[in-house]
Amino acid sequence: MAGDNGTMIRIEKLHKKFVHKGKRIDVLNGITLQIKRGEMCAIVGKSGAGKSTFLHVLGTLDVPSTGSIVINGVDVTRLKDRSLAQFRNRTIGFVFQFHHLLPEFTALENTMMPGLIRRGNREELEHEAVQ
């Protein structure tokens, strides 16, 4: 489902601004990036540089102020809430640094959770989770 040139993620002119105590803070300033299927990308920088903000926007947990994010040919910045939630559930996986794991479940079950929520086949989900 990647674009014609093999691009899996295309980010164009991505901006994220916040207002804090009446002052505008520009956190992301015009990021343009393409990641092709099979490529690896590391996000590095000093504390407070905007890494977490970038990952939250890229993962569709937050919305950009301006710009676009196209994942597998879908412009996620144009999706409505329900469609975006469905896309996120089926396409994007998260491994959080802290919290967000359900302690009553194993690590494998936590990994399978999005599929379990959508009532997927447990055997298939387990196979996919261990891959």
Side-chain angles (χ1 to χ4, degrees):
M1 282 201 178
D4 292 338
N5 64 359
T7 300
M8 188 170 76
I9 299 172
R10 186 177 71 244
I11 302 162
E12 294 184 9
K13 301 177 183 173
L14 193 71
H15 291 263
K16 181 66 179 177
K17 300 166 183 14
F18 295 97
V19 176
H20 180 69
K21 296 184 180 180
K23 182 178 178 185
R24 189 176 92 177
I25 301 169
D26 297 319
V27 179
L28 305 178
N29 295 300
I31 295 172
T32 296
L33 172 69
Q34 287 191 26
I35 303 171
K36 296 183 186 233
R37 186 167 305 284
E39 285 186 325
M40 284 199 258
C41 180
I43 310 300
V44 296
K46 294 180 181 179
S47 179
K51 300 178 302 293
S52 293
T53 299
F54 176 65
L55 291 173
H56 280 94
V57 171
L58 179 59
T60 72
L61 298 173
D62 197 358
V63 295
S65 300
T66 60
S68 66
I69 301 170
V70 177
I71 302 174
N72 291 338
V74 177
D75 186 344
V76 297
T77 53
R78 295 183 179 268
L79 294 178
K80 301 292 184 206
D81 289 345
R82 185 176 176 92
S83 296
L84 184 58
Q86 290 173 342
F87 180 86
R88 184 186 312 113
N89 180 266
R90 289 178 169 80
T91 309
I92 300 174
F94 297 97
V95 178
F96 290 98
Q97 184 175 1
F98 301 106
H99 327 301
H100 308 295
L101 295 177
L102 302 171
E104 62 271 22
F105 296 100
T106 66
L108 182 61
E109 290 169 328
N110 270 280
T111 303
M112 296 165 46
M113 196 56 63
L116 293 171
I117 290 170
R118 69 174 183 261
R119 300 188 199 303
N121 178 283
R122 188 174 181 91
E123 279 186 24
E124 290 174 13
L125 293 169
E126 187 169 340
H127 177 74
E128 187 177 313
V130 297
Q131 295 299 319

